[in-house]
Amino acid sequence: MENNSKNPSGSNDVAVLRMPDGTADISLPVKYDSFGNRFIDVTKLYSQTKICTYDPGFMSTASCESKITYIDGDKGILLYRGYRIEDLVEHGDFYDCSYLLLHGELPDADEKEHFRSDITNHTLIHEKFMEFLKGFQHDAHPMAIMCGCVGAMAAFYPEVANVSDPAQQIRACHRLIAKIPTLAAMSFKVHLGQPIIYPRNDLSFSENFLYMMNALPTQKYQVDPVAAKALETILILHLDHEQNASTSTVRTAGSSQANPFTCISSGIASLHGPLHGGASTAVMKMLLEIEQLGGLDAIPLIVERAKDKENPFRLMGFGHRVYKTFDPRAKIMKEISDQVLSSLDVDDPLLDIAKALEAHALQDEYFVKRNLYPNIDFYSGIVMRALGIPVEMYTVIFAMARCVGWVAQWKEFVSEPLNKISRPRQIYSGHVEREFQILSSRSSNVTAFKPAPARMYSTHARNPHV
């Protein structure tokens, strides 16, 4: 698919903003993306008119121009650098797709081997990190550990703080891609209280992570090739997804020329939120709830609850904010899900419930009419459950994959000659200017903050009295 002209009409198109007081008509340039979608450029609106736009959540605002990922939610299309996600999963692997996002083109044989070797040989973590990891509570959530550890890497690689140096940019990107799986597995081992397992250079990217997460020093561990292939597919499907909350967070942090490790740490923090990276986890919690309500027999009741607008229950893992038809990633994950469940012959009542729920929803007119199909989070949760991956690691694996997209987006931003620090405007709705009151003249404010009663503190994070 070739890159089309950004202005298909060939003219200098403008949109006209007419103010309600009739003071003036304001002409705003119209930009076009590669597919001809229109954008009104308001870059100079404030400097020329002192007028700001208002768009909470940036639902109608493009915060940047990017060549990395494209989504057509109405048609169910996802492109990495112009390549359909279906083709990349079928014909490529993790190294192909990561190189593509980062460098813009698929690698040739020599480029791919050099990239694979560079990633493989940078998987080790500085031994000082062992002392750092020991400082976390033994049952701390792996995402909380990841957030702290990735940010702390800035102290170990200060040279990459020179974000204007292209060589340091690539070095930082490769180190992050290589080391985050190691940190992710270490975080899990700390969470379990098990010995940390070091990476192996003879394993592929997904094999290495499964080995570090599951192996023990006391016995041999053989990575299942079906599990490794399924995990690699999950990683490829989650590499990048346009300007979502965490990616926008990384770009915003990068706009201040912050160290790339701290930028990626900010992305992990954003992804840790339940509204962003917690969707697969929410699917598993829903399946557990259905099991408690009666398992397979409770599915018709659950579906009816989901249809009832007065009922707060929501069917997790169905529908998508961006895709108005079937998520192309979900189609692929459904195939992987079927293969994994068939190959591994897993006996798990939650997976039986998931398959029955999927079949019920796909045949229900209510869901079909509203395009509420199972999404990638639904199938990813099923696959990771079948692979024996605990639910607290779902978002960690999401972060491990999305790190590739984050570094590609960060590199694209810092490489731009005219990048600017992010500085959104606001609609101020607080008090206008008022005079300071001395303490004796202030009236009581019942809505003001009241400090909580002092309590005795414990070092144990799970003490119910803390």
Side-chain angles (χ1 to χ4, degrees), residues 256-270:
S256 70
Q257 298 187 354
N259 184 292
F261 294 101
T262 55
C263 293
I264 301 307
S265 179
S266 73
I268 294 172
S270 176

Side-chain angles (χ1 to χ4, degrees), residues 243-263:
Q243 302 307 311
N244 50 77
S246 57
T247 301
S248 297
T249 300
V250 170
R251 276 184 170 260
T252 298
S255 74
S256 70
Q257 298 187 354
N259 184 292
F261 294 101
T262 55
C263 293

Side-chain angles (χ1 to χ4, degrees), residues 141 143 238 271-289 316-317 350 375-382 384-385 389-398:
H141 195 286
M143 277 295 281
H238 284 88
L271 188 67
H272 193 16
L275 295 183
H276 188 11
S280 293
T281 302
V283 169
M284 284 299 112
K285 289 181 178 178
M286 177 192 68
L287 295 177
L288 283 168
E289 181 182 348
M316 306 306 297
L350 287 191
N375 59 34
I376 187 172
D377 302 308
F378 183 82
Y379 293 117
S380 295
I382 293 175
M384 287 191 282
R385 173 88 177 186
I389 297 173
V391 69
E392 58 267 27
M393 285 298 290
Y394 289 6
T395 312
V396 175
I397 290 173
F398 190 172

Side-chain angles (χ1 to χ4, degrees), residues 176-196:
L176 277 158
I177 294 171
K179 296 180 188 302
I180 277 191
T182 307
L183 286 175
M186 285 181 171
S187 300
F188 182 57
K189 290 297 191 181
V190 169
H191 176 74
L192 293 180
Q194 291 183 356
I196 287 171

